[in-house]
Amino acid sequence: MWYYYDLESGQKQTGWIKDKNNWYYLDNSGVMKTGWIKDNNNWYYLDGSGPTDIYSYSQSSSPN
């Protein structure tokens, strides 16, 4: 499992994080998520090979 900590506060981060032009999504526990996730009624596919490639789908679409 991967976590992202704020360098100044040392706090574990959650939600969307942009680091060096790469996007990551961290769940409520701070774990970096991969695969399909749903956030704010939108689906995103997060590649599991490190920095994520994000493919988004509107609310009316769903992953297969």
Side-chain angles (χ1 to χ4, degrees):
M1 285 186 266
W2 290 92
Y3 298 93
Y4 188 95
Y5 291 88
D6 183 272
L7 292 176
E8 291 182 21
S9 69
Q11 294 292 316
K12 195 182 301 182
Q13 301 297 292
T14 61
W16 290 102
I17 301 291
K18 185 176 183 180
D19 182 51
K20 299 177 186 168
N21 294 321
N22 295 306
W23 284 97
Y24 303 89
Y25 184 80
L26 310 163
D27 69 12
N28 290 335
S29 300
V31 175
M32 185 179 83
K33 302 305 284 183
T34 59
W36 285 106
I37 64 161
K38 188 175 183 181
D39 183 46
N40 292 323
N41 292 321
N42 292 305
W43 284 98
Y44 300 91
Y45 183 77
L46 306 176
D47 186 344
S49 63
T52 56
D53 291 327
I54 300 174
Y55 304 95
S56 64
Y57 290 84
S58 68
Q59 182 176 354
S60 61
S61 298
S62 62
N64 294 328

